[in-house]
Amino acid sequence: ALTQRRQAFGGKRVGLGVGIGEPTALTLRARTGRATAVDVGVGASAFGTPRVHVMYTWQFTTSFGTPFVNWYAGLGVMAGFDKKGEYYLAKKTADASLWFVTDEVLGAARGSVGLNWFPRYTPLEFFAEVNPIVGLYPKTGIGVEGWVGIRIYP
């Protein structure tokens, strides 16, 4: 079954695509092993535009008894570079505001839990992902984001 998925990809290890949600971004997944990958996203976000994230993910390929539907988890970092600096991580303040403004680079740790589907005999991957985030710089905070998308392995 895993061989069927490899045949669909033609042995290709790099997928390019787009994700919509938080963030809305171009995405690249480079498979580093049978069940590991590095994911990169560059796009627009409330966290900052441009916004970049880099994740290391682990695929759990036997989760659903088929190699075509898997779940995965990952850890990584993200940064936003927007001059307006609207930062959406939840932060307890005296006025209970969830926003603060800065002109600095914004940085956070990012986790991921996702589900992907590889339609049989195609070079496509559809994904849906939820990401807990922890603001690290310039202030701390927590938040959750999510996105869905598609990648093609050309």
Side-chain angles (χ1 to χ4, degrees), residues 59-141:
Q59 287 281 142
F60 300 96
T61 56
T62 58
S63 306
F64 298 98
T66 172
F68 301 105
V69 178
N70 304 299
W71 76 277
Y72 60 92
L75 294 172
V77 295
M78 61 190 238
F81 301 93
D82 197 350
K83 289 286 184 194
K84 68 182 178 186
E86 292 177 324
Y87 191 70
Y88 68 98
L89 296 179
K91 176 70 180 164
K92 291 184 181 178
T93 61
D95 63 358
S97 171
L98 297 180
W99 298 85
F100 65 86
V101 178
T102 178
D103 59 359
E104 299 181 46
V105 173
L106 307 170
R110 183 176 191 258
S112 68
V113 176
L115 186 67
N116 52 19
W117 171 51
F118 303 90
R120 192 178 296 228
Y121 307 116
T122 71
L124 301 176
E125 171 192 12
F126 293 91
F127 67 91
E129 192 172 290
V130 174
N131 309 100
I133 54 177
V134 177
L136 300 174
Y137 181 83
K139 295 186 179 181
T140 60

